[in-house]
Amino acid sequence: EPNAYLSYHNQSVVGALKRMSELGWGVVAEKERAKAYAQIVRLRNLTLALVVGLLLIIGLAAYLISLSLVRPLDRLTSGAGKVAAGDLEVDVPVGSRSEVGYLTEVFNDMVARLRQGREELAAINETLREKNVELHEISITDSLTGLYNRKHLMETLDKEVSRCQRHSHSFSLMVIDIDHFKKYNDTYGHLAGDEVLSRLASVFKESIRSSDYAARYGGEEFIVMLPEIGPEQG
């Protein structure tokens, strides 16, 4: 078995002793230690270099994979989270033409369609709101004069009576009727009669306060309600 020791010339060597029993001799074979282990050292260094090289290659490959796959997926995940929270202004950048890039394009197209759908729905809702306002105005307005109609008058009158009773306030109510209106209608026709009603309604609108209320009760009869006006102001 080889052993390391100092030779006769005081050099570090590796040697082995073989006894020759027939002759009673011993044979020593020795070699300088550095030369004896040179091949092993070269193999060790080569192995270390290969391991380090493989680790560098693996690390670079992992970095490239993260750039081409993991980061785009993270961006997609983040974008999906924003969409789930209601943010449809998301536009994930397309980093490559790979499968992940195609998936990103599909995601952006989906978000764009959702955004367009939301805008269209908002426009429809706004149109419906405006139509509802128009319908409400039609339902409470007299079509000829533009004043409030009888139905709205009765509802408003009930509320005003309850309010005045609750707060001990007063209000006045004027009932206005056009004399000889039927005769005027028969003489000049219904169109002329409608013109009289419209002009009288315009007079009411221009004359009353913003807090007052005017309505067409029916036919040629009108009612004007004056809040906070009692007998002493009449």
Side-chain angles (χ1 to χ4, degrees), residues 33 36-37 50-52 54 66 84 118 137 149 158 161 170 176 196 202-203 218 224:
R33 185 174 181 178
Y37 289 109
L50 288 174
V51 171
V52 172
L54 286 174
S66 69
R118 184 174 67 178
E137 290 295 325
N149 58 22
D158 286 341
V161 170
S170 299
I176 302 170
V196 171
S202 298
V203 172
V224 176

Side-chain angles (χ1 to χ4, degrees), residues 46-206:
L46 179 60
T47 302
L48 288 175
L50 288 174
V51 171
V52 172
L54 286 174
L55 290 176
L56 289 175
I57 292 173
I58 293 172
L60 179 61
Y63 176 73
L64 294 176
I65 290 175
S66 69
L67 289 179
S68 62
L69 184 62
V70 176
R71 287 187 180 179
L73 287 177
D74 285 342
R75 288 196 292 265
L76 276 176
T77 302
S78 176
K82 292 179 180 179
V83 171
D87 181 9
L88 297 183
E89 301 301 323
V90 176
D91 187 16
V92 180
V94 180
S96 66
R97 306 303 302 176
S98 63
E99 288 80 0
V100 178
Y102 174 73
L103 180 62
T104 303
E105 291 179 351
V106 172
F107 176 81
N108 287 335
D109 182 65
M110 178 195 69
V111 174
R113 290 176 182 272
L114 288 174
R115 184 166 55 246
Q116 181 181 1
R118 184 174 67 178
E119 292 171 354
E120 292 175 353
L121 182 60
I124 292 173
N125 287 335
E126 179 62 22
T127 301
L128 288 175
R129 188 192 66 80
E130 293 174 356
K131 293 299 181 182
N132 286 334
V133 172
E134 292 177 6
L135 288 174
H136 177 69
E137 290 295 325
I138 292 174
S139 68
I140 64 174
T141 304
D142 177 63
S143 58
L144 176 61
T145 62
L147 299 177
Y148 291 111
N149 58 22
R150 181 171 180 171
K151 176 177 178 295
H152 190 266
L153 167 66
M154 302 310 295
E155 294 175 353
T156 305
L157 187 59
D158 286 341
K159 293 178 182 178
E160 185 65 19
V161 170
S162 298
R163 187 186 71 85
C164 290
Q165 289 177 345
R166 184 167 60 253
H167 299 289
S168 300
H169 288 182
S170 299
F171 77 96
S172 296
L173 201 67
M174 294 192 302
V175 180
I176 302 170
D177 180 82
I178 302 176
D179 292 337
H180 311 296
F181 182 74
K182 185 178 183 305
K183 182 178 181 181
Y184 184 89
N185 247 351
D186 294 339
T187 303
Y188 300 102
H190 290 288
L191 291 179
D194 290 346
E195 179 66 20
V196 171
L197 295 176
S198 297
R199 290 192 179 187
L200 185 59
S202 298
V203 172
F204 291 152
K205 292 176 185 178
E206 296 171 0

Side-chain angles (χ1 to χ4, degrees), residues 31-51:
K31 190 175 183 179
E32 292 183 14
R33 185 174 181 178
K35 293 180 179 180
Y37 289 109
Q39 185 67 21
I40 297 175
V41 171
R42 283 196 297 272
L43 289 174
R44 182 197 64 187
N45 293 340
L46 179 60
T47 302
L48 288 175
L50 288 174
V51 171

Side-chain angles (χ1 to χ4, degrees), residues 197-225:
L197 295 176
S198 297
R199 290 192 179 187
L200 185 59
S202 298
V203 172
F204 291 152
K205 292 176 185 178
E206 296 171 0
S207 303
I208 63 177
R209 303 171 302 174
S210 59
S211 59
D212 296 336
Y213 177 93
R216 183 185 180 189
Y217 186 72
E220 72 277 17
E221 296 178 340
F222 298 86
I223 290 182
V224 176
M225 185 166 56

